Amino acid sequence: MLYKKQTLKSVDRAFEDVQASVKGHGFGLLHHYDFRKTLADKGFDLPNECLVLEVCNPRQAAEVLGIDMSLNMALPCRISIYEDHGKTWIGMVPPTAQLSLISHDDPRIAEAARAVEQTLKEIIDSAA
């Protein structure tokens, strides 16, 4: 189950808008990478643009990790901006889906995941 929105923006413009929305929603951009460039540097061709942003809300990350340190394997959250069949998409794997696989049904984790997911949807929606 993916959450994704199509945009009429270019990948570069969507990237700028996602960055601004991330900051505006109290999240930080930890890292970003360009899959097409990375693969090209290794001798593989990827015809479509694909940028991935790793984002985090420090308060929520500390809360989740304080409950279950093994959840670090699902952090930080990722937002992708990519081309597919001539269209630009912004999307993510919802945190509720990811964390439910490894959180042992802890209601505190589920609530934190819901809150993060709602904010990430707002980030994607406002950037699209």
Side-chain angles (χ1 to χ4, degrees):
M1 128 170 61
L2 301 175
Y3 183 83
K4 61 184 185 174
K5 295 284 183 163
Q6 184 180 346
T7 179
L8 298 176
K9 299 174 184 178
S10 69
V11 169
D12 289 336
R13 180 59 198 201
F15 177 70
E16 291 173 14
D17 292 348
V18 168
Q19 286 184 90
S21 187
V22 163
K23 185 176 181 180
H25 283 85
F27 277 60
L29 175 61
L30 301 177
H31 185 69
H32 74 275
Y33 42 98
D34 181 333
F35 263 128
R36 186 162 74 172
K37 180 183 179 326
T38 299
L39 292 175
D41 290 347
K42 309 257 185 245
F44 298 96
D45 180 47
L46 181 65
N48 299 327
E49 288 190 66
C50 181
L51 305 176
V52 177
L53 295 81
E54 294 183 341
V55 301
C56 183
N57 179 294
R59 181 189 55 75
Q60 290 170 315
E63 177 183 322
V64 166
L65 294 175
I67 296 167
D68 184 347
M69 191 61 193
S70 68
L71 296 179
N72 72 79
M73 292 179 251
L75 301 177
C77 297
R78 295 169 49 148
I79 297 174
S80 296
I81 305 164
Y82 62 98
E83 292 176 325
D84 191 23
H85 294 93
K87 297 176 181 169
T88 302
W89 295 88
I90 305 171
M92 67 166 169
V93 176
T96 55
Q98 276 189 322
L99 292 180
S100 70
L101 296 173
I102 57 177
S103 71
H104 309 293
D105 296 322
D106 187 315
R108 299 170 296 171
I109 300 297
E111 180 54 37
R114 277 191 294 278
V116 168
E117 184 172 311
Q118 181 58 42
T119 303
L120 292 176
K121 286 179 177 179
E122 291 170 8
I123 288 169
I124 290 168
D125 292 350
S126 70

